[in-house]
Amino acid sequence: MNLDLLIERFGETAALTAGGLAVGLAFGACAERSKFCLRAAVIEFSEGSFGPKLAVWLLTFSAAVAATQAAISTGLLDVSEARQLAATGSLSGAAIGGLMFGAGMVLSRGCASRLLVLSGTGNLRALVTGLILTIVAQASLRGVLSPAREFLSQLWTLPGGAARNLLSVAHVGSVVGASLGAFGLAVAFWLAWRNRIGIVNGIAAIGVGLAVTAGWLVTYTLSLHAFEPTTVKSVSFTGPSADTLMGLINSPSVPLGFDIGLVPGVFAGSLVAALIGREWKLQGFHDGLSMGRYAAGAFLMGFGGMLAGGCAVGAGVTGGSIFAVTAWLALAAMWLGALVMHTLIDAKAAALAPALTTNQTGN
């Protein structure tokens, strides 16, 4: 049965939902197994360690870039109509929002995707923090925080089209993009080998990146066969999580689409992987102070993610895989924001801990 018949039989939205669910299952399972996390990679880097967490992140990012650009260069994929390239972009939003998101993910000990994955493993801290993030994201998109987001995003804008594509700006094509991704993979393989992350974890890390490419391919392929206009998109969590939650709350029937399949798919994929690996365990907040820290981080990520045009995956990996200017700027700002927050909060606290212990012992 070909794709046209499937769409005719089940409908376009059902096909998109099924595609999102499949991508989400793969992403969630691979992210849980590999422990993919931008925050963990940044902290390793800040401590001068090119360790296993950085290797995992680089495997994922490079795999997404290499595979997506290879699909573009061979004619399997066209992302020219994707929001990250076609619509007007905000450089101010990418920079400010990226800084906020990076700082927030250090406070919350995980980005939006990591919180969703951890929720599937029984981590109630991640679940509550993710819900706060989602509510703030919705308020930033359409609610009380939207005027502030719109003001900041309009400070410095960039027209859609070639100006938003780094490869076009550099006057090179997708072959160069795929080559850069392949080079990144080579470096990541070396780091993975040096840190002995294991074949299974390495494959899972690459699988996270390939899930991003799969998302692009699924939505693009369906857009060619659908009667109604279909948005070409891939994996992202800040906006889709907000839309999914609002759909569940505001409507007796959930509106179908790629995102409504993606978000629960990631949760389910992580849950299954955690159960198979015997890593499922209920966890909660230690005290009120830690809950306040997580809530503050969730607020920064919810507002920052909507301002930056996506989360660490949506902007950083998905947008990065198609060389969107704003995505790469947002990713750099997330790294910087996380580095600064880690240095000011966690690294400083760790440095003071031995001194405090010594003083207490002396007293």
PDB file of all heavy atoms in Angstrom, residues 19-49:
ATOM      1  N   GLY A  19       3.485   9.474  12.227  1.00  0.00           N
ATOM      2  CA  GLY A  19       4.888   9.786  11.956  1.00  0.00           C
ATOM      3  C   GLY A  19       5.563  10.423  13.152  1.00  0.00           C
ATOM      4  O   GLY A  19       6.693  10.073  13.517  1.00  0.00           O
ATOM      5  N   GLY A  20       4.870  11.367  13.799  1.00  0.00           N
ATOM      6  CA  GLY A  20       5.410  12.012  14.994  1.00  0.00           C
ATOM      7  C   GLY A  20       5.601  11.026  16.126  1.00  0.00           C
ATOM      8  O   GLY A  20       6.591  11.075  16.863  1.00  0.00           O
ATOM      9  N   LEU A  21       4.646  10.093  16.267  1.00  0.00           N
ATOM     10  CA  LEU A  21       4.742   9.080  17.307  1.00  0.00           C
ATOM     11  C   LEU A  21       5.955   8.173  17.092  1.00  0.00           C
ATOM     12  O   LEU A  21       6.702   7.879  18.032  1.00  0.00           O
ATOM     13  CB  LEU A  21       3.465   8.244  17.334  1.00  0.00           C
ATOM     14  CG  LEU A  21       3.416   7.106  18.359  1.00  0.00           C
ATOM     15  CD1 LEU A  21       3.498   7.662  19.779  1.00  0.00           C
ATOM     16  CD2 LEU A  21       2.135   6.282  18.183  1.00  0.00           C
ATOM     17  N   ALA A  22       6.163   7.751  15.853  1.00  0.00           N
ATOM     18  CA  ALA A  22       7.302   6.885  15.540  1.00  0.00           C
ATOM     19  C   ALA A  22       8.630   7.598  15.801  1.00  0.00           C
ATOM     20  O   ALA A  22       9.557   7.030  16.394  1.00  0.00           O
ATOM     21  CB  ALA A  22       7.220   6.427  14.090  1.00  0.00           C
ATOM     22  N   VAL A  23       8.721   8.850  15.367  1.00  0.00           N
ATOM     23  CA  VAL A  23       9.940   9.634  15.600  1.00  0.00           C
ATOM     24  C   VAL A  23      10.154   9.829  17.097  1.00  0.00           C
ATOM     25  O   VAL A  23      11.278   9.710  17.608  1.00  0.00           O
ATOM     26  CB  VAL A  23       9.864  10.989  14.876  1.00  0.00           C
ATOM     27  CG1 VAL A  23      11.011  11.897  15.305  1.00  0.00           C
ATOM     28  CG2 VAL A  23       9.896  10.790  13.370  1.00  0.00           C
ATOM     29  N   GLY A  24       9.072  10.139  17.815  1.00  0.00           N
ATOM     30  CA  GLY A  24       9.167  10.357  19.255  1.00  0.00           C
ATOM     31  C   GLY A  24       9.609   9.112  20.002  1.00  0.00           C
ATOM     32  O   GLY A  24      10.437   9.184  20.925  1.00  0.00           O
ATOM     33  N   LEU A  25       9.070   7.963  19.632  1.00  0.00           N
ATOM     34  CA  LEU A  25       9.470   6.707  20.274  1.00  0.00           C
ATOM     35  C   LEU A  25      10.964   6.461  20.106  1.00  0.00           C
ATOM     36  O   LEU A  25      11.663   6.091  21.062  1.00  0.00           O
ATOM     37  CB  LEU A  25       8.669   5.543  19.692  1.00  0.00           C
ATOM     38  CG  LEU A  25       7.205   5.437  20.117  1.00  0.00           C
ATOM     39  CD1 LEU A  25       6.480   4.408  19.258  1.00  0.00           C
ATOM     40  CD2 LEU A  25       7.101   5.041  21.595  1.00  0.00           C
ATOM     41  N   ALA A  26      11.454   6.659  18.886  1.00  0.00           N
ATOM     42  CA  ALA A  26      12.880   6.447  18.616  1.00  0.00           C
ATOM     43  C   ALA A  26      13.730   7.452  19.388  1.00  0.00           C
ATOM     44  O   ALA A  26      14.746   7.087  20.002  1.00  0.00           O
ATOM     45  CB  ALA A  26      13.144   6.566  17.116  1.00  0.00           C
ATOM     46  N   PHE A  27      13.322   8.721  19.367  1.00  0.00           N
ATOM     47  CA  PHE A  27      14.070   9.751  20.073  1.00  0.00           C
ATOM     48  C   PHE A  27      14.116   9.453  21.564  1.00  0.00           C
ATOM     49  O   PHE A  27      15.182   9.507  22.200  1.00  0.00           O
ATOM     50  CB  PHE A  27      13.436  11.118  19.819  1.00  0.00           C
ATOM     51  CG  PHE A  27      14.204  12.274  20.423  1.00  0.00           C
ATOM     52  CD1 PHE A  27      15.026  13.045  19.629  1.00  0.00           C
ATOM     53  CD2 PHE A  27      14.095  12.586  21.773  1.00  0.00           C
ATOM     54  CE1 PHE A  27      15.746  14.112  20.170  1.00  0.00           C
ATOM     55  CE2 PHE A  27      14.813  13.646  22.327  1.00  0.00           C
ATOM     56  CZ  PHE A  27      15.638  14.403  21.517  1.00  0.00           C
ATOM     57  N   GLY A  28      12.955   9.167  22.157  1.00  0.00           N
ATOM     58  CA  GLY A  28      12.883   8.934  23.601  1.00  0.00           C
ATOM     59  C   GLY A  28      13.706   7.745  24.046  1.00  0.00           C
ATOM     60  O   GLY A  28      14.434   7.824  25.043  1.00  0.00           O
ATOM     61  N   ALA A  29      13.604   6.639  23.314  1.00  0.00           N
ATOM     62  CA  ALA A  29      14.349   5.438  23.689  1.00  0.00           C
ATOM     63  C   ALA A  29      15.855   5.669  23.569  1.00  0.00           C
ATOM     64  O   ALA A  29      16.631   5.301  24.462  1.00  0.00           O
ATOM     65  CB  ALA A  29      13.918   4.272  22.813  1.00  0.00           C
ATOM     66  N   CYS A  30      16.281   6.287  22.475  1.00  0.00           N
ATOM     67  CA  CYS A  30      17.715   6.516  22.258  1.00  0.00           C
ATOM     68  C   CYS A  30      18.269   7.565  23.224  1.00  0.00           C
ATOM     69  O   CYS A  30      19.392   7.433  23.714  1.00  0.00           O
ATOM     70  CB  CYS A  30      17.957   6.952  20.817  1.00  0.00           C
ATOM     71  SG  CYS A  30      17.703   5.655  19.582  1.00  0.00           S
ATOM     72  N   ALA A  31      17.474   8.605  23.516  1.00  0.00           N
ATOM     73  CA  ALA A  31      17.934   9.639  24.442  1.00  0.00           C
ATOM     74  C   ALA A  31      18.060   9.091  25.850  1.00  0.00           C
ATOM     75  O   ALA A  31      18.992   9.443  26.587  1.00  0.00           O
ATOM     76  CB  ALA A  31      16.970  10.826  24.419  1.00  0.00           C
ATOM     77  N   GLU A  32      17.144   8.211  26.250  1.00  0.00           N
ATOM     78  CA  GLU A  32      17.228   7.618  27.586  1.00  0.00           C
ATOM     79  C   GLU A  32      18.420   6.687  27.689  1.00  0.00           C
ATOM     80  O   GLU A  32      19.151   6.709  28.686  1.00  0.00           O
ATOM     81  CB  GLU A  32      15.942   6.854  27.884  1.00  0.00           C
ATOM     82  CG  GLU A  32      15.720   6.538  29.357  1.00  0.00           C
ATOM     83  CD  GLU A  32      16.616   5.431  29.897  1.00  0.00           C
ATOM     84  OE1 GLU A  32      16.897   4.466  29.136  1.00  0.00           O
ATOM     85  OE2 GLU A  32      17.043   5.515  31.068  1.00  0.00           O
ATOM     86  N   ARG A  33      18.662   5.910  26.657  1.00  0.00           N
ATOM     87  CA  ARG A  33      19.762   4.946  26.691  1.00  0.00           C
ATOM     88  C   ARG A  33      21.116   5.641  26.656  1.00  0.00           C
ATOM     89  O   ARG A  33      22.045   5.248  27.373  1.00  0.00           O
ATOM     90  CB  ARG A  33      19.649   3.986  25.494  1.00  0.00           C
ATOM     91  CG  ARG A  33      20.691   2.862  25.527  1.00  0.00           C
ATOM     92  CD  ARG A  33      20.436   1.964  26.714  1.00  0.00           C
ATOM     93  NE  ARG A  33      21.417   0.888  26.800  1.00  0.00           N
ATOM     94  CZ  ARG A  33      22.626   0.991  27.386  1.00  0.00           C
ATOM     95  NH1 ARG A  33      22.998   2.151  27.923  1.00  0.00           N
ATOM     96  NH2 ARG A  33      23.438  -0.046  27.448  1.00  0.00           N
ATOM     97  N   SER A  34      21.246   6.688  25.849  1.00  0.00           N
ATOM     98  CA  SER A  34      22.539   7.369  25.689  1.00  0.00           C
ATOM     99  C   SER A  34      22.776   8.434  26.741  1.00  0.00           C
ATOM    100  O   SER A  34      23.897   8.922  26.888  1.00  0.00           O
ATOM    101  CB  SER A  34      22.626   8.008  24.297  1.00  0.00           C
ATOM    102  OG  SER A  34      21.667   9.053  24.168  1.00  0.00           O
ATOM    103  N   LYS A  35      21.697   8.820  27.480  1.00  0.00           N
ATOM    104  CA  LYS A  35      21.761   9.915  28.456  1.00  0.00           C
ATOM    105  C   LYS A  35      22.142  11.232  27.768  1.00  0.00           C
ATOM    106  O   LYS A  35      22.858  12.061  28.325  1.00  0.00           O
ATOM    107  CB  LYS A  35      22.748   9.600  29.582  1.00  0.00           C
ATOM    108  CG  LYS A  35      22.460   8.291  30.305  1.00  0.00           C
ATOM    109  CD  LYS A  35      21.096   8.288  30.956  1.00  0.00           C
ATOM    110  CE  LYS A  35      20.818   7.035  31.753  1.00  0.00           C
ATOM    111  NZ  LYS A  35      20.556   5.840  30.920  1.00  0.00           N
ATOM    112  N   PHE A  36      21.609  11.428  26.576  1.00  0.00           N
ATOM    113  CA  PHE A  36      21.851  12.649  25.807  1.00  0.00           C
ATOM    114  C   PHE A  36      21.392  13.867  26.596  1.00  0.00           C
ATOM    115  O   PHE A  36      20.245  13.933  27.042  1.00  0.00           O
ATOM    116  CB  PHE A  36      21.101  12.562  24.478  1.00  0.00           C
ATOM    117  CG  PHE A  36      20.986  13.868  23.741  1.00  0.00           C
ATOM    118  CD1 PHE A  36      22.078  14.396  23.081  1.00  0.00           C
ATOM    119  CD2 PHE A  36      19.786  14.559  23.713  1.00  0.00           C
ATOM    120  CE1 PHE A  36      21.983  15.600  22.397  1.00  0.00           C
ATOM    121  CE2 PHE A  36      19.671  15.756  23.032  1.00  0.00           C
ATOM    122  CZ  PHE A  36      20.778  16.275  22.379  1.00  0.00           C
ATOM    123  N   CYS A  37      22.290  14.856  26.778  1.00  0.00           N
ATOM    124  CA  CYS A  37      21.942  16.028  27.569  1.00  0.00           C
ATOM    125  C   CYS A  37      22.933  17.152  27.281  1.00  0.00           C
ATOM    126  O   CYS A  37      24.143  16.992  27.511  1.00  0.00           O
ATOM    127  CB  CYS A  37      21.961  15.689  29.062  1.00  0.00           C
ATOM    128  SG  CYS A  37      21.570  17.078  30.150  1.00  0.00           S
ATOM    129  N   LEU A  38      22.438  18.282  26.799  1.00  0.00           N
ATOM    130  CA  LEU A  38      23.306  19.422  26.518  1.00  0.00           C
ATOM    131  C   LEU A  38      23.894  19.988  27.800  1.00  0.00           C
ATOM    132  O   LEU A  38      25.079  20.342  27.846  1.00  0.00           O
ATOM    133  CB  LEU A  38      22.533  20.509  25.768  1.00  0.00           C
ATOM    134  CG  LEU A  38      23.301  21.807  25.493  1.00  0.00           C
ATOM    135  CD1 LEU A  38      24.561  21.539  24.675  1.00  0.00           C
ATOM    136  CD2 LEU A  38      22.416  22.825  24.803  1.00  0.00           C
ATOM    137  N   ARG A  39      23.102  20.089  28.849  1.00  0.00           N
ATOM    138  CA  ARG A  39      23.604  20.629  30.119  1.00  0.00           C
ATOM    139  C   ARG A  39      24.806  19.833  30.617  1.00  0.00           C
ATOM    140  O   ARG A  39      25.829  20.411  31.024  1.00  0.00           O
ATOM    141  CB  ARG A  39      22.501  20.598  31.170  1.00  0.00           C
ATOM    142  CG  ARG A  39      23.018  20.842  32.586  1.00  0.00           C
ATOM    143  CD  ARG A  39      21.972  20.528  33.647  1.00  0.00           C
ATOM    144  NE  ARG A  39      22.603  20.388  34.950  1.00  0.00           N
ATOM    145  CZ  ARG A  39      23.049  19.249  35.450  1.00  0.00           C
ATOM    146  NH1 ARG A  39      22.954  18.124  34.743  1.00  0.00           N
ATOM    147  NH2 ARG A  39      23.603  19.196  36.651  1.00  0.00           N
ATOM    148  N   ALA A  40      24.709  18.522  30.591  1.00  0.00           N
ATOM    149  CA  ALA A  40      25.812  17.692  31.067  1.00  0.00           C
ATOM    150  C   ALA A  40      27.062  17.897  30.217  1.00  0.00           C
ATOM    151  O   ALA A  40      28.185  17.931  30.730  1.00  0.00           O
ATOM    152  CB  ALA A  40      25.406  16.217  31.058  1.00  0.00           C
ATOM    153  N   ALA A  41      26.873  18.057  28.910  1.00  0.00           N
ATOM    154  CA  ALA A  41      28.007  18.286  28.013  1.00  0.00           C
ATOM    155  C   ALA A  41      28.670  19.628  28.306  1.00  0.00           C
ATOM    156  O   ALA A  41      29.905  19.739  28.314  1.00  0.00           O
ATOM    157  CB  ALA A  41      27.535  18.236  26.558  1.00  0.00           C
ATOM    158  N   VAL A  42      27.859  20.660  28.555  1.00  0.00           N
ATOM    159  CA  VAL A  42      28.399  21.988  28.850  1.00  0.00           C
ATOM    160  C   VAL A  42      29.200  21.967  30.149  1.00  0.00           C
ATOM    161  O   VAL A  42      30.280  22.558  30.240  1.00  0.00           O
ATOM    162  CB  VAL A  42      27.269  23.032  28.932  1.00  0.00           C
ATOM    163  CG1 VAL A  42      27.804  24.372  29.425  1.00  0.00           C
ATOM    164  CG2 VAL A  42      26.607  23.205  27.574  1.00  0.00           C
ATOM    165  N   ILE A  43      28.673  21.294  31.159  1.00  0.00           N
ATOM    166  CA  ILE A  43      29.366  21.241  32.445  1.00  0.00           C
ATOM    167  C   ILE A  43      30.705  20.518  32.306  1.00  0.00           C
ATOM    168  O   ILE A  43      31.726  20.962  32.855  1.00  0.00           O
ATOM    169  CB  ILE A  43      28.476  20.556  33.501  1.00  0.00           C
ATOM    170  CG1 ILE A  43      27.300  21.477  33.846  1.00  0.00           C
ATOM    171  CG2 ILE A  43      29.278  20.220  34.753  1.00  0.00           C
ATOM    172  CD1 ILE A  43      26.299  20.865  34.782  1.00  0.00           C
ATOM    173  N   GLU A  44      30.731  19.424  31.571  1.00  0.00           N
ATOM    174  CA  GLU A  44      32.001  18.734  31.317  1.00  0.00           C
ATOM    175  C   GLU A  44      32.990  19.675  30.638  1.00  0.00           C
ATOM    176  O   GLU A  44      34.162  19.753  31.027  1.00  0.00           O
ATOM    177  CB  GLU A  44      31.777  17.511  30.420  1.00  0.00           C
ATOM    178  CG  GLU A  44      31.510  16.239  31.171  1.00  0.00           C
ATOM    179  CD  GLU A  44      31.602  15.017  30.281  1.00  0.00           C
ATOM    180  OE1 GLU A  44      31.725  15.179  29.037  1.00  0.00           O
ATOM    181  OE2 GLU A  44      31.549  13.904  30.820  1.00  0.00           O
ATOM    182  N   PHE A  45      32.510  20.378  29.636  1.00  0.00           N
ATOM    183  CA  PHE A  45      33.368  21.300  28.893  1.00  0.00           C
ATOM    184  C   PHE A  45      33.885  22.410  29.802  1.00  0.00           C
ATOM    185  O   PHE A  45      35.058  22.801  29.724  1.00  0.00           O
ATOM    186  CB  PHE A  45      32.582  21.887  27.726  1.00  0.00           C
ATOM    187  CG  PHE A  45      33.366  22.847  26.882  1.00  0.00           C
ATOM    188  CD1 PHE A  45      34.249  22.395  25.922  1.00  0.00           C
ATOM    189  CD2 PHE A  45      33.228  24.223  27.073  1.00  0.00           C
ATOM    190  CE1 PHE A  45      34.980  23.291  25.144  1.00  0.00           C
ATOM    191  CE2 PHE A  45      33.954  25.127  26.302  1.00  0.00           C
ATOM    192  CZ  PHE A  45      34.840  24.653  25.336  1.00  0.00           C
ATOM    193  N   SER A  46      33.021  22.936  30.678  1.00  0.00           N
ATOM    194  CA  SER A  46      33.419  24.031  31.571  1.00  0.00           C
ATOM    195  C   SER A  46      34.491  23.597  32.555  1.00  0.00           C
ATOM    196  O   SER A  46      35.282  24.427  33.033  1.00  0.00           O
ATOM    197  CB  SER A  46      32.202  24.551  32.341  1.00  0.00           C
ATOM    198  OG  SER A  46      31.775  23.617  33.316  1.00  0.00           O
ATOM    199  N   GLU A  47      34.528  22.323  32.861  1.00  0.00           N
ATOM    200  CA  GLU A  47      35.512  21.793  33.796  1.00  0.00           C
ATOM    201  C   GLU A  47      36.771  21.304  33.086  1.00  0.00           C
ATOM    202  O   GLU A  47      37.632  20.664  33.697  1.00  0.00           O
ATOM    203  CB  GLU A  47      34.884  20.663  34.612  1.00  0.00           C
ATOM    204  CG  GLU A  47      33.728  21.157  35.497  1.00  0.00           C
ATOM    205  CD  GLU A  47      32.961  20.033  36.164  1.00  0.00           C
ATOM    206  OE1 GLU A  47      33.188  18.858  35.774  1.00  0.00           O
ATOM    207  OE2 GLU A  47      32.153  20.317  37.061  1.00  0.00           O
ATOM    208  N   GLY A  48      36.864  21.606  31.789  1.00  0.00           N
ATOM    209  CA  GLY A  48      38.045  21.235  31.027  1.00  0.00           C
ATOM    210  C   GLY A  48      38.119  19.769  30.678  1.00  0.00           C
ATOM    211  O   GLY A  48      39.194  19.247  30.359  1.00  0.00           O
ATOM    212  N   SER A  49      36.972  19.096  30.713  1.00  0.00           N
ATOM    213  CA  SER A  49      36.940  17.662  30.429  1.00  0.00           C
ATOM    214  C   SER A  49      36.179  17.400  29.135  1.00  0.00           C
ATOM    215  O   SER A  49      35.015  17.776  29.007  1.00  0.00           O
ATOM    216  CB  SER A  49      36.260  16.916  31.582  1.00  0.00           C
ATOM    217  OG  SER A  49      36.042  15.563  31.242  1.00  0.00           O
TER     218      SER A  49
END
